[in-house]
Amino acid sequence: MLGRTQYAGAFLLLGPALTWLDVARDCMADPYGSLTRGLLTSVFALVVGLRRVYHLDEMEDQGFALLTGGRRCPSRHLVGGWRRHLRWYEVDAFCRRTSPWHLIRDQIVLASYDEHTIARWTSKFHIKKGYVTTRNKYMRCEKLFYTFDLGSSRYLSVRAAPGDWGLIDLAVPLVQQTLTCGRPDYLHALCDAGAGQSDAGVRALWDLAEREDPRLDVTLRACRYPHRVRAWKALPSGLFVPYQDPGPYVGAPPKEIRVAETTTVLKDESEEQAVRTVICREVVPGPKKDRWHPLFTTTASDPYEVLTMYRPRQCHEQSYRVGVHDLSLDAAPCAYDKESPDPKRPRFQRGPLQMIGWLVALVYNAVADFASELAGDFVGSHVGTLRRAFLNRPGVLYQTPEAVIVHLDPFGGQEALVPVVDDFNAAGHRLPWLENRQVVVSLTPQGRPRAGP
């Protein structure tokens, strides 16, 4: 017997991790022999909920040691050193080869493009500032730009950038990347208002849609600049069509919205180039003002249908919340070089930030796949829920000359794992760092409940 572990269920995600490790070995140099432990530790720390790399000093679990490529738990110094020395072009190659573009190939795709801002609290290094919504102010930060497929609720790609970059800088390249790498039959790109902070950014997306017509449509939330809001509010009331939307919670009365269609002339452009605009006016009872939600779009769909198609973008925002609270996304390593000779102008190295940001996305995708394979209705469950229910489960590790047996202690609801365990054992995953033994996961049969009270 190798010993007990608190993470017996986490072995069920060993298959994707070994696949990522094989790709990383093809893409990255390993002069210090730390690639295996660095990558696997970064992956399974996210899976089991280890929030900071220095928490590795307190880890003494035998199962975590086997999952991360050795017989003993890794050191934070080895893992942190591997992260710090990641080269951006090797990380780019890894991201390209592990991006799940097959999910959208030859499909009709609804994709969301947005940024996630990670605040940095350094006062020594003068890194670029950006707007942090959670703090409602401009402060030092770094950003991750994600592409998210709303149909499958999976991340497709990522790009790290300094804090003064915005979605307006990367919206066109990210949409082009989706068209080139994903090769969908049709793409409807949904962007937040950051992609249209200036009319030049809006026009760039519209020009791309015109070049790619009919493969591409774009819808983005328009910035509510005062002069445009005044023009939208001055529209005749007869243009607005009333609709009833569900209330904010179960049993709440429906809320009234009014939807209209108009056009908006961008700066230095003519009336013939006006952009189609869908205006949603949310009627707020009482003394508060009504809320106005404008959308620029290239589609010819009904205005209310455009609004309905844009709403699933909230799933992308929800994935960020899951990443922050369940996968420690905001603990991703910084991209500014702490060894820069001039702290007022530090070098930017996006390799570590982009690598961990993408591993968060890959783990998010893998856990979502895991949820879809469980027996029962677990699709859409958060990572933290699945971690508590199935992944962080105690068990016993046994070693034979040919295999490592992971025997989970009995728990309520374990029957949901039966199809996942069967598929895992049929795949025949092996541990090269343990004499290539095969990993076998087994559940403890539960006795039949006794009759009577």
Side-chain angles (χ1 to χ4, degrees):
M1 186 176 78
L2 288 174
R4 290 192 60 83
T5 176
Q6 297 300 313
Y7 309 114
F11 278 85
L12 295 171
L13 293 182
L14 187 62
L18 293 177
T19 301
W20 303 334
L21 179 60
D22 290 340
V23 175
R25 285 172 174 164
D26 292 339
C27 299
M28 300 177 179
D30 189 18
Y32 303 105
S34 57
L35 171 60
T36 298
R37 300 231 75 177
L39 178 70
L40 292 178
T41 303
S42 299
V43 169
F44 283 102
L46 300 173
V47 172
V48 305
L50 198 70
R51 303 191 68 85
R52 297 290 187 272
V53 68
Y54 55 80
H55 293 168
L56 289 171
D57 291 344
E58 304 168 5
M59 181 66 73
E60 297 179 354
D61 189 274
Q62 184 63 40
F64 188 79
L66 294 181
L67 286 169
T68 55
R71 294 178 178 268
R72 292 185 178 181
C73 289
S75 162
R76 68 181 175 93
H77 303 287
L78 181 143
V79 177
W82 174 77
R83 292 182 178 185
R84 284 193 298 273
H85 294 89
L86 288 169
R87 300 176 176 88
W88 68 267
Y89 51 87
E90 294 178 343
V91 172
D92 270 357
F94 176 80
C95 293
R96 286 195 301 270
R97 293 186 56 178
T98 53
S99 295
W101 296 116
H102 63 278
L103 295 176
I104 64 172
R105 188 135 313 146
D106 302 326
Q107 301 293 318
I108 296 175
V109 179
L110 189 66
S112 173
Y113 302 84
D114 199 7
E115 64 189 45
H116 176 70
T117 304
I118 302 177
R120 301 301 188 191
W121 306 99
T122 178
S123 58
K124 175 181 177 181
F125 296 93
H126 290 206
I127 64 175
K128 302 297 184 179
K129 290 187 177 183
Y131 181 69
V132 181
T133 55
T134 55
R135 294 280 169 172
N136 194 26
K137 64 178 181 180
Y138 282 85
M139 58 185 297
R140 295 186 177 97
C141 64
E142 292 167 337
K143 293 184 178 181
L144 291 166
F145 295 84
Y146 285 102
T147 302
F148 190 80
D149 176 30
L150 297 171
S152 61
S153 294
R154 302 293 190 274
Y155 285 101
L156 296 177
S157 68
V158 70
R159 170 66 186 272
D164 62 339
W165 284 41
L167 188 59
I168 191 173
D169 302 307
L170 289 175
V172 171
L174 289 176
V175 174
Q176 288 177 323
Q177 180 190 41
T178 306
L179 292 171
T180 303
C181 300
R183 290 180 292 186
D185 281 346
Y186 169 78
L187 171 64
H188 190 169
L190 307 181
C191 301
D192 200 6
Q197 286 182 333
S198 73
D199 288 353
V202 177
R203 178 49 58 190
L205 283 169
W206 258 238
D207 289 343
L208 177 63
E210 186 176 352
R211 291 196 302 269
E212 298 291 342
D213 184 68
R215 294 179 61 207
L216 174 65
D217 274 316
V218 178
T219 299
L220 64 88
R221 186 163 63 87
C223 292
R224 288 173 285 202
Y225 294 122
H227 67 287
R228 287 185 176 158
V229 173
R230 287 193 296 269
W232 295 329
K233 289 183 177 180
L235 291 173
S237 59
L239 291 180
F240 289 86
V241 180
Y243 294 92
Q244 295 289 328
D245 268 7
Y249 54 89
V250 176
K255 59 183 180 181
E256 180 184 354
I257 64 170
R258 299 172 184 173
V259 182
E261 177 182 349
T262 184
T263 57
T264 302
V265 179
L266 303 180
K267 185 179 180 180
D268 299 330
E269 293 189 355
S270 63
E271 291 283 350
E272 291 76 14
Q273 297 174 289
V275 174
R276 186 190 182 204
T277 308
V278 174
I279 309 293
C280 173
R281 179 182 180 181
E282 183 181 346
V283 179
V284 180
K288 294 184 179 180
K289 297 180 179 179
D290 293 348
R291 299 190 182 100
W292 294 77
H293 308 285
L295 298 173
F296 291 155
T297 184
T298 63
T299 65
S301 303
D302 178 81
Y304 184 73
E305 185 178 350
V306 173
L307 179 65
T308 303
M309 287 189 293
Y310 188 80
R311 283 174 173 168
R313 210 194 68 80
Q314 187 62 29
C315 297
H316 191 177
E317 300 286 357
Q318 180 68 27
S319 71
Y320 288 153
R321 298 187 185 100
V322 174
V324 170
H325 296 290
D326 293 350
L327 295 172
S328 303
L329 177 58
D330 284 354
C334 57
Y336 58 89
D337 186 3
K338 296 181 179 180
E339 298 180 359
S340 299
D342 184 3
K344 293 186 177 181
R345 299 186 64 185
R347 294 183 291 257
F348 181 78
Q349 298 177 338
R350 64 182 172 93
L353 174 61
Q354 182 165 314
M355 183 66 180
I356 303 305
W358 184 234
L359 287 180
V360 168
L362 289 177
V363 171
Y364 180 94
N365 291 352
V367 173
D369 294 339
F370 170 81
S372 66
E373 297 171 3
L374 293 169
D377 186 15
F378 293 96
V379 175
S381 298
H382 289 184
V383 174
T385 302
L386 297 170
R387 179 188 293 145
R388 291 190 304 271
F390 302 108
L391 300 178
N392 288 4
R393 283 291 176 180
V396 183
L397 301 174
Y398 297 96
Q399 176 179 312
T400 71
E402 299 294 332
V404 173
I405 302 173
V406 184
H407 188 73
L408 277 76
D409 293 349
F411 62 93
Q414 68 176 18
E415 60 277 0
L417 281 177
V418 171
V420 181
V421 170
D422 291 344
D423 291 344
F424 179 88
N425 292 334
H429 301 293
R430 296 182 177 273
L431 301 181
W433 49 90
L434 203 63
E435 289 79 40
N436 210 36
R437 287 181 171 87
Q438 181 177 341
V439 180
V440 178
V441 178
S442 67
L443 299 174
T444 303
Q446 289 184 309
R448 301 173 65 181
R450 65 185 182 89

